[in-house]
Amino acid sequence: MLALTAAVVLLLAVLVAVLAGGAAGGAPSAGHAAVDGAAGASGAGDAPASAVPGGVPSATAVPSPVVPSSAAPGAVPPEDDLRGRVVVLDPGHDGGNGAAPAQIDRKVDAGGFLKECDTVGASTDAGYPEHAFTWDVANRTAQLLRDRGATVVLTRNNDTGVGPCVDARARASADAHADAAVSIHADGGPADGFGFHVIAPDRAPDSVNAGIVVASGRLATQLRDAFASSTGEAPANYLPTHQGIVDRSDLGGLNLSTVPKVFVECANMRNPADAARVSDPAWRQRAADGIATGIARYLTAPAS
């Protein structure tokens, strides 16, 4: 009888132990519960839109917008993003001007007075012409601005034509609804003078440009600073001011403009050192970078 009782007690003890072990193994620990909960949250975030309550996708489920490669996220610093902006570049002179004196010598309105339609432009002593320089730099600048997302319009589409006249060049900016315009040149100053300068508009005799004088001054400052930094070129030493900016009211392209506009004389082609610079494609690329950067800084600067 005692043996039977002992056997029953032992059997009950074993049964209790088995039941207790099963209960412990079937419930996760607090640590496991936290890990599993985190995994579940991550999985919900990656669900397709149709699996998210209300049909509203999470941030990770929203596809990236399709944008042109030139404006791809990360390709352009936010301060240089020029999408939606329009820039007119005016490559000074033209390759056919020299063979068409009657056309380029005719007088056109220049903002309260008459002036020649255009000129042949300067050249280095070795014969590298200003029109070829401006055409090259303008196209390099246009590409850099397009890479930033801007729409760029050039006032001429080749380097073999005649003109256009200065009044037509000025109208091109208004016709394009431009946010800014830059006329690209290289000077023909004294042979012992060197450097670059930016020409900002002063009030024209007929005051057509009165509304863009102040904004053009801001554009001139940004362009001067960026050009000097990019090229290492010093402000022109043969002008009354050595600050790199002059105001003029005798240029039809500035007098007739109704959008912020400046000229940049990138170097003095008649100076041997400057002539070597403008003849160097690598330097012309730096010049283009300076012009593009100055325009971008002007267009993205906080309104004042």
Side-chain angles (χ1 to χ4, degrees):
M1 183 68 179
L2 290 175
L4 179 60
T5 300
V8 171
V9 171
L10 180 61
L11 179 61
L12 289 174
V14 171
L15 181 59
V16 170
V18 171
L19 290 175
S29 68
H32 284 127
V35 172
D36 291 345
S42 175
D46 291 335
S50 59
V52 178
V56 180
S58 69
T60 56
V62 178
S64 300
V66 177
V67 297
S69 59
S70 62
V76 179
E79 65 272 17
D80 285 348
D81 188 349
L82 301 182
R83 284 173 288 185
R85 311 310 290 269
V86 179
V87 177
V88 167
L89 298 177
D90 178 25
H93 314 288
D94 207 335
N97 285 4
Q103 290 176 260
I104 65 169
D105 287 346
R106 70 182 181 87
K107 299 294 195 295
V108 299
D109 178 34
F113 58 95
L114 297 180
K115 196 169 183 178
E116 290 78 10
C117 161
D118 202 358
T119 64
V120 174
S123 65
T124 67
D125 289 344
Y128 182 54
E130 182 181 357
H131 66 79
F133 169 81
T134 65
W135 177 244
D136 182 76
V137 172
N139 279 278
R140 293 174 186 268
T141 304
Q143 186 58 57
L144 292 169
L145 291 169
R146 288 168 181 148
D147 287 345
R148 289 168 161 93
T151 297
V152 182
V153 177
L154 272 64
T155 58
R156 55 187 176 97
N157 56 20
N158 57 58
D159 193 37
T160 58
V162 177
C165 295
V166 294
D167 56 338
R169 291 173 185 264
R171 285 195 301 271
S173 302
D175 292 345
H177 303 287
D179 297 293
V182 173
S183 190
I184 300 171
H185 289 262
D187 208 3
D192 60 349
F194 62 84
F196 82 99
H197 65 283
V198 179
I199 306 173
D202 206 344
R203 186 185 290 261
D206 63 2
S207 296
V208 168
N209 67 351
I212 58 98
V213 170
V214 173
S216 297
R218 294 197 299 269
L219 173 59
T221 299
Q222 295 284 13
L223 186 54
R224 176 199 60 188
D225 294 349
F227 191 89
S229 176
S230 180
T231 64
E233 185 82 345
N237 68 346
Y238 54 92
L239 300 175
T241 173
H242 295 173
Q243 302 303 309
I245 298 177
V246 296
D247 299 333
R248 290 176 58 176
S249 60
D250 63 326
L251 298 173
L254 296 180
N255 289 348
L256 297 172
S257 183
T258 56
V259 308
K261 182 177 181 180
V262 299
F263 279 41
V264 55
E265 298 280 3
C266 297
N268 178 16
M269 300 192 89
R270 295 188 179 140
N271 175 271
D274 275 2
R277 294 184 180 98
V278 300
S279 302
D280 178 8
W283 190 89
R284 295 199 296 268
Q285 186 62 40
R286 292 196 294 274
D289 182 70
I291 296 170
T293 298
I295 293 171
R297 289 176 181 171
Y298 165 75
L299 292 176
T300 58
S304 58

